[in-house]
């Protein structure tokens, strides 16, 4: 993990939240959706199958823990969990809380609307809401 | 699992391939992309967190095995793996082989283009290509 570096596009579009044992947890800087991204800190990983078996198991545990935290904080209509990577090849997993009144519903969020960055105050509020349950998730891992 | 029933929309849009210990494996009836769908045979499951821990572990093993099989058969540019469910609430996981020359690239596939159903001969060919590696995947589970 010493040589892992976050892809510049992910770094530019997100706000760092915390590091779990395997993944960085990032908040997508788009106030339209509560949207977290997990990035396994493994160099050159593009697919789940590029990870070692123990890393694959840890990733799944972290996906489940983070989606539980996001669900419990936001109480969404539906969670969307996806690893796409057509544009940013570095393996990353989207975990998005969807509501039937959000601006892309019921479509997937990608490419539908330009991101609307958080104001600093809004970002602080979202992070303050998410942080305790993410900390609890981290302790469960 | 006795009372599990496949959602009618999934049944209408796919071709059944096989049953794994947890999931049904379906082929999306769209010749534009090699596109499999896993459906855990668990009644009323909408999110990963609706599954029991042993079912969650089995689902992850089946996702990894099926994506490995699809990768080895199709050699795609990228795999897309996603659980969305905004339109069909029954928990289902898309595993899609993407190519930089496919008609939706680099966008996600959902909602971009109408499905183009396989001809019976094409469907037979695709199933014949996929079946041996899916059988191998099934034996690994």
């Amino acid at each position: 993990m010493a040589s892992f570096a976050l892809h510049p596009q992910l770094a530019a579009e997100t706000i760092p939240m915390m590091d779990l044992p395997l993944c960085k947890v990032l908040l997508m800087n788009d106030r339209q959706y509560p949207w977290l991204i997990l990035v396994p800190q493994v160099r050159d990983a593009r697919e789940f199958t590029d990870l070692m078996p123990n890393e694959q198991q840890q990733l799944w545990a972290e996906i489940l823990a983070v989606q539980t935290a996001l669900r419990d904080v936001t109480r969404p209509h539906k969670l969307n969990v996806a690893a796409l990577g057509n544009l940013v090849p570095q393996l990353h997993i989207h975990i998005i809380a969807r509501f039937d009144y959000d601006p892309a519903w019921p479509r997937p969020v990608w490419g539908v609307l330009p991101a609307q960055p958080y104001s600093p105050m809004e970002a602080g509020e979202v992070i303050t809401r998410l942080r305790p349950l993410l900390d609890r998730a981290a302790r469960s891992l």
Side-chain angles (χ1 to χ4, degrees), chain A:
Chain A
M1 285 172 46
S3 60
F4 170 84
L6 187 63
H7 189 285
Q9 187 171 337
L10 290 174
E13 296 179 346
T14 66
I15 299 163
M17 291 281 299
M18 68 192 307
D19 282 4
L20 297 175
L22 180 66
C23 294
K24 282 190 177 300
V25 183
L26 310 171
L27 174 68
M28 180 66 99
N29 191 11
D30 186 346
R31 60 193 294 283
Q32 298 173 106
Y33 322 96
W35 181 344
L36 297 174
I37 295 180
L38 296 186
V39 185
Q41 298 171 85
V42 176
R43 187 177 171 180
D44 295 336
R46 297 179 68 240
E47 304 285 0
F48 297 143
T49 48
D50 293 332
L51 302 179
M52 304 289 289
N54 63 320
E55 294 168 338
Q56 292 172 342
Q57 291 309 309
Q58 182 65 28
L59 174 58
W60 186 234
E62 295 186 5
I63 289 171
L64 294 173
V66 169
Q67 81 159 49
T68 299
L70 185 62
R71 180 198 70 189
D72 290 351
V73 173
T74 66
R75 297 285 166 194
H77 187 74
K78 189 71 189 69
L79 290 162
N80 289 174
V81 180
L84 304 177
N86 303 341
L87 294 170
V88 173
Q90 183 172 72
L91 180 61
H92 62 287
I93 297 91
H94 301 272
I95 303 179
I96 311 164
R98 302 298 308 276
F99 297 87
D100 56 11
Y101 52 81
D102 76 38
W105 184 266
R107 292 166 294 176
V109 298
W110 303 278
V112 172
L113 293 164
Q116 294 184 6
Y118 289 106
S119 71
M121 182 176 292
E122 285 174 328
E125 286 171 357
V126 170
I127 290 169
T128 299
R129 282 177 68 206
L130 286 171
R131 186 76 202 211
L133 284 193
L134 285 175
D135 283 341
R136 193 171 76 187
R139 285 193 300 273
S140 77
L141 290 166

